[in-house]
């Protein structure tokens, strides 16, 4: 179901370190998953996606891992930079209705 | 490519008035557009899905008579918040999906959002 949180979890990392942001999704029938980055006052920005027939996908400095057994998704950011500071949301595509359901979000803070 | 715009970016209105927000796909035709609402420090909540030329499908708990959605063309959808009240103050975000086959079939492109403040 939909995720709503009044207190988003925060991940603080040192600049240059790797970041791992986790997400639990709700529907085992979801067939497509996306990670978004949202900066304050802006709309979500696509980072990377993965289909349910894959368990790993790599982009530039980012990797998404999908574990369908436990309905878990993670985003790994290599060599985290101050510009990576934002709120990160995972989203799952529900086949029924073909719509996205967003996770609660994680605040990433990068310390210089 | 795949740019979605929203207008206005922010609006302040008095309680009881109506506000219209526009969502445009600038360089592609969007067969489906989505409207989301986001309260501070919360996630995006889907309000409704609209397909060009047909009535919008509203999520449970979203009043269709209060949030009027029109998707009259393949590049424009509008959300009208009728008789707005302070509790409607929120960040409204639209997205558009091209509806192409293959890899981009599910991809949604998001607008920059509209900040609505109702006094």
């Amino acid at each position: 179901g939909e995720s709503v949180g009044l207190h988003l979890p925060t991940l603080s990392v040192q600049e240059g370190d790797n970041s791992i942001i986790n997400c639990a999704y709700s529907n085992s029938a979801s067939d497509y998953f996306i990670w978004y980055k949202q900066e304050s006052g802006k709309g979500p920005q696509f980072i990377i996606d993965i289909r349910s027939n894959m368990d790993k996908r790599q982009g530039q400095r980012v990797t998404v891992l999908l574990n369908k057994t436990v309905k878990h998704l993670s985003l790994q950011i290599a060599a985290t930079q101050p510009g990576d500071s934002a709120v990160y949301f995972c989203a799952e595509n529900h086949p029924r209705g073909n719509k996205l359901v967003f996770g609660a979000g994680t605040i990433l803070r990068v310390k210089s | 490519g795949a740019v979605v715009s929203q207008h206005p970016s922010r609006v302040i209105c008095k309680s009881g008035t109506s506000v219209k927000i526009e969502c445009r796909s600038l360089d592609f035709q969007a067969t489906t557009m989505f409207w989301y609402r986001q309260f501070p420090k919360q996630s995006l909540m889907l309000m409704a899905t609209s397909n060009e030329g047909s009535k919008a499908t509203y999520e449970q708990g979203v009043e269709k008579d209060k949030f009027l959605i029109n998707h009259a063309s393949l590049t424009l959808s509008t959300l009208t918040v009728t008789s707005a009240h302070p509790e409607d103050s929120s960040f409204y975000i639209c997205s558009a999906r091209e509806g192409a086959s293959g890899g981009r079939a599910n991809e949604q492109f998001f607008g920059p959002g509209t900040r609505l403040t109702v006094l």
Side-chain angles (χ1 to χ4, degrees):
Chain A
E2 288 78 12
S3 298
V4 174
L6 292 178
H7 301 283
L8 299 180
T10 300
L11 174 66
S12 293
V13 299
Q14 199 67 36
E15 181 180 359
D17 287 353
N18 296 333
S19 303
I20 299 177
I21 301 172
N22 297 302
C23 174
Y25 64 92
S26 61
N27 192 330
S28 56
S30 292
D31 57 1
Y32 175 60
F33 305 87
I34 314 102
W35 279 101
Y36 291 96
K37 173 186 180 183
Q38 187 180 30
E39 296 174 290
S40 181
K42 297 184 179 180
Q45 175 188 349
F46 173 92
I47 301 173
I48 192 168
D49 59 2
I50 188 168
R51 299 205 172 272
S52 58
N53 61 352
M54 303 172 68
D55 52 23
K56 180 178 180 180
R57 188 157 188 239
Q58 288 185 287
Q60 189 176 19
R61 278 204 310 123
V62 294
T63 300
V64 55
L65 299 178
L66 174 63
N67 185 331
K68 294 184 289 292
T69 303
V70 294
K71 294 191 287 188
H72 184 267
L73 199 64
S74 69
L75 176 70
Q76 301 176 4
I77 304 174
T80 313
Q81 302 167 0
D84 295 327
S85 293
V87 181
Y88 289 80
F89 294 97
C90 67
E92 57 182 305
N93 185 71
H94 282 195
R96 185 180 178 188
N98 200 14
K99 57 187 181 183
L100 292 180
V101 175
F102 280 76
T106 297
I107 299 171
L108 176 64
R109 291 207 175 103
V110 182
K111 298 174 286 187
S112 299
Chain B
V3 178
V4 176
S5 70
Q6 283 184 241
H7 178 80
S9 58
R10 57 179 64 233
V11 56
I12 301 173
C13 69
K14 292 182 179 179
S15 185
T17 61
S18 295
V19 174
K20 180 185 283 188
I21 302 170
E22 292 185 350
C23 176
R24 294 182 186 271
S25 56
L26 299 185
D27 51 3
F28 67 100
Q29 293 188 323
T31 57
T32 307
M33 287 185 168
F34 302 85
W35 286 96
Y36 296 84
R37 180 168 52 183
Q38 185 178 32
F39 293 108
K41 299 191 187 304
Q42 294 190 24
S43 188
L44 283 75
M45 300 295 291
L46 180 65
M47 298 175 68
T49 303
S50 75
N51 291 295
E52 186 263 339
S54 60
K55 289 184 179 179
T57 302
Y58 290 81
E59 294 298 301
Q60 193 171 9
V62 178
E63 300 174 58
K64 63 179 182 183
D65 294 330
K66 180 168 183 61
F67 299 99
L68 302 179
I69 292 172
N70 184 283
H71 190 169
S73 79
L74 285 172
T75 58
L76 173 65
S77 176
T78 60
L79 168 68
T80 301
V81 183
T82 63
S83 186
H85 288 95
E87 58 265 31
D88 298 322
S89 298
S90 189
F91 193 50
Y92 291 86
I93 306 170
C94 74
S95 71
R97 187 170 66 201
E98 188 172 14
S101 59
R104 290 184 56 163
N106 291 333
E107 193 169 357
Q108 292 185 27
F109 301 97
F110 284 83
T114 297
R115 175 76 59 193
L116 171 63
T117 303
V118 185
L119 302 177

